[in-house]
DNA sequence: CACACTATGCTTAGATA
DNA sequence: GTATCTAAGCATAGTGT
């Protein structure tokens, strides 16, 4: 992990693979040592290397025997109960990676939308390629922004009563609007200024074909990408 | 490893220690995954945690069992070849002591059985507290003795043909008799003279309870104590 | 082959929610 | 207790000897 991030797959280059094995084996043994020292636990590891009749073991032959004996004595059912096996480890990794991806996507969307909004505000028009999904995001962001503004106002003037922002515009639905409502709101608000390609708009009445289900519903990699930014 | 380098010693703070264990366990599992993927090797790890009946294992229950099996199959000498630490020294000592113990036990048994046999021969009866294990030893010794006698006879009279000893007694089964056969033989031979406490004899038809598994199978300290004396 | 070096990327201690 | 974040410290891929 230096100079370059290697990808997690079998290293075909023999010399490289052996070098990696050696380095990482050392690293692992060190970690085993550390965890058992720091946490005072029993643990063991066995690593077989090609062309070695003997596996590398930690903490010792006896230690391994002890740990493995203890393990082998357990009833089968109990054994697999709390186990972190390869599969659950993998699925956990995937879950985490998916979460990460989702977050990053959201960050990007947030920035895109913010840019779109600022452009919209300064030009008074929608610029560039704006599809329904983007429009919905924009609507959501506007709602959010308005809500924040409203809250700030309430904080400033505590006894003023109800909201003074957004009601006239028809954009805010109490912050609880669902997707269709957002779009509806946007359409009502900006109908005049819309000269862009709205081929994706299902409300457009046009004979244009629909985008694929997932795209239309803003889903990729099984992740729902609808409004969510904090 | 952030903010501060911790020193490598048991973490006394409970919460901290558990948190560390959890984090590092995850890290270790990941490393195990990586090394086996990158280098295409077989490996396993077992980590016991306090208050957890189950250890975490990698890569799976089966994987650990496999590694365990492979490890346990190695000749003891090979196993300790590449290890030069306290524990391997200890395990070697234990091995030696176990061997010693086994031999001594065998010697004692041999003497006891010889005594029993001579008593049996002189009184024509079984004397003292004779359980099935002792009976089996006795049977084995008789077989051995008869075989020796037979061999001596054959050596003395090389052209005599078949054995002349033991056939009438029904005790010898060609020296290949298994446990039940030994006992059976003894029973047939001495049925008349048996007045002793045979509460342990499962063939006794009585309602007596069986001895514990290990005792019944003549195992102690994990050592099988069945007939063996040279 | 086995080292030593070092820039990167990964792990994780501590803090925070 | 769990989850997340962050920066400090560590592991290590690539390289050179």
């Amino acid at each position: 992990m230096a100079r370059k991030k290697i990808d997690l797959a079998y290293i075909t280059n023999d010399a490289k693979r052996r070098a990696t094995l050696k380095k990482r084996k050392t690293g692992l043994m060190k970690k085993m040592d550390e965890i058992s020292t720091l946490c005072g636990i029993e643990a063991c590891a066995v690593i077989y290397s090609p062309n070695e009749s003997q596996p590398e073991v930690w903490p010792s032959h006896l230690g391994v025997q002890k740990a493995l004996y203890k393990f082998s004595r357990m009833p089968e059912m109990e054994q697999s109960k709390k186990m972190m096996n390869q599969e659950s480890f993998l699925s956990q990794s995937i879950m985490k990676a998916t979460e990460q991806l989702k977050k990053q996507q959201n960050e990007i969307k947030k920035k895109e939308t913010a840019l779109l909004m600022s452009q919209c505000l300064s030009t008074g028009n929608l610029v560039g390629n704006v599809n329904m999904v983007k429009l919905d995001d924009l609507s959501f962001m506007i709602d959010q922004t308005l809500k924040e503004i409203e809250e700030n106002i309430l904080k400033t003037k505590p006894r003023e009563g109800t909201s003074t922002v957004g009601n006239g515009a028809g954009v805010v639905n109490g912050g609880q609007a669902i997707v269709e409502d957002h779009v509806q709101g946007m359409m009502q608000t900006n109908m005049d200024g819309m000269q862009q390609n709205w081929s994706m708009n299902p409300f457009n009445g046009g004979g244009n074909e629909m985008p694929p289900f997932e795209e239309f519903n803003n889903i990729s990699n099984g992740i729902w990408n609808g409004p969510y930014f904090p």
Side-chain angles (χ1 to χ4, degrees), chain A residues 154-179:
Chain A
L154 285 177
K155 244 185 277 177
T156 317
K157 309 178 180 180
R159 294 284 123 119
E160 276 292 321
T162 45
S163 155
T164 58
V165 185
N167 284 334
V171 177
V172 177
N173 284 319
Q176 299 299 328
I178 54 168
V179 174

Side-chain angles (χ1 to χ4, degrees), chain A residues 4 8 15 26 49 62 64 67 93 98 110 112 123 126 131 136 138 152 154 158 185 188-189 197 201-202 216 226 228:
Chain A
K4 215 180 106 194
L8 229 69
T26 308
S49 308
L62 203 73
V64 172
S93 301
T98 304
K110 194 168 159 186
E112 281 178 352
T123 66
L126 283 169
N131 60 28
D136 187 44
L138 182 54
N152 282 337
L154 285 177
Q188 287 169 10
T189 311
N197 53 334
N201 184 0
F216 178 73
Y228 129 66

Side-chain angles (χ1 to χ4, degrees), chain A residues 3-230:
Chain A
R3 317 296 160 103
K4 215 180 106 194
K5 158 177 179 169
I6 64 163
D7 102 316
L8 229 69
Y10 181 74
I11 301 170
T12 48
N13 181 317
D14 259 39
K16 238 180 222 182
R17 175 157 33 77
R18 254 175 295 137
T20 297
L21 177 55
K22 196 177 176 185
K23 283 182 178 183
R24 279 173 176 262
K25 199 162 59 180
T26 308
L28 259 170
M29 293 307 177
K30 190 176 170 195
K31 289 276 185 201
M32 290 298 284
D33 217 54
E34 290 181 357
I35 197 173
S36 73
T37 301
L38 290 169
C39 307
I41 58 161
E42 201 175 321
C44 85
V46 179
I47 295 179
Y48 293 95
S49 308
N51 312 323
E52 293 269 344
S53 65
Q54 296 316 307
E56 191 102 1
V57 302
W58 191 96
S60 69
H61 175 232
L62 203 73
V64 172
Q65 278 193 331
K66 215 170 130 195
L68 292 186
Y69 173 71
K70 208 164 153 187
F71 179 76
S72 68
R73 281 200 51 170
M74 284 180 228
E76 188 89 14
M77 294 310 281
E78 297 249 332
Q79 278 182 36
S80 22
K81 208 164 46 181
K82 279 212 172 176
M83 237 174 21
M84 159 119 55
N85 53 32
Q86 218 165 3
E87 253 183 68
S88 72
F89 176 76
L90 252 180
S91 70
Q92 217 174 309
S93 301
I94 291 172
M95 257 176 51
K96 271 189 185 167
T98 304
E99 276 310 306
Q100 286 284 77
L101 181 60
K102 211 164 155 183
K103 260 184 207 167
Q104 287 177 6
Q105 282 174 343
N106 185 58
E107 283 306 309
I108 291 172
K109 199 174 67 173
K110 194 168 159 186
K111 283 173 186 165
E112 281 178 352
T113 309
L115 178 62
L116 184 62
M117 187 166 72
S118 71
Q119 284 173 342
C120 198
L121 284 173
S122 63
T123 66
N125 248 338
L126 283 169
V127 290
N129 193 345
V130 181
N131 60 28
M132 200 178 85
V133 170
K134 286 184 185 175
L135 208 56
D136 187 44
D137 291 340
L138 182 54
S139 169
F140 183 74
M141 183 171 274
I142 291 170
D143 278 4
Q144 288 294 115
T145 310
L146 287 175
K147 216 164 46 169
E148 277 175 38
I149 293 170
E150 184 168 4
E151 278 162 10
N152 282 337
I153 290 172
L154 285 177
K155 244 185 277 177
T156 317
K157 309 178 180 180
R159 294 284 123 119
E160 276 292 321
T162 45
S163 155
T164 58
V165 185
N167 284 334
V171 177
V172 177
N173 284 319
Q176 299 299 328
I178 54 168
V179 174
E180 285 76 14
D181 288 333
H182 288 167
V183 174
Q184 207 67 39
M186 275 310 290
M187 286 171 72
Q188 287 169 10
T189 311
N190 298 301
M191 206 51 113
D192 312 335
M194 284 181 192
Q195 308 120 351
Q196 274 68 19
N197 53 334
W198 260 66
S199 60
M200 280 188 164
N201 184 0
F203 303 109
N204 206 8
N208 299 309
E209 56 186 39
M210 293 273 285
F213 175 82
E214 299 220 319
E215 188 182 329
F216 178 73
N217 285 284
N218 202 12
I219 293 169
S220 68
N221 287 325
I223 304 171
W224 157 250
N225 288 304
Y228 129 66
F229 28 73

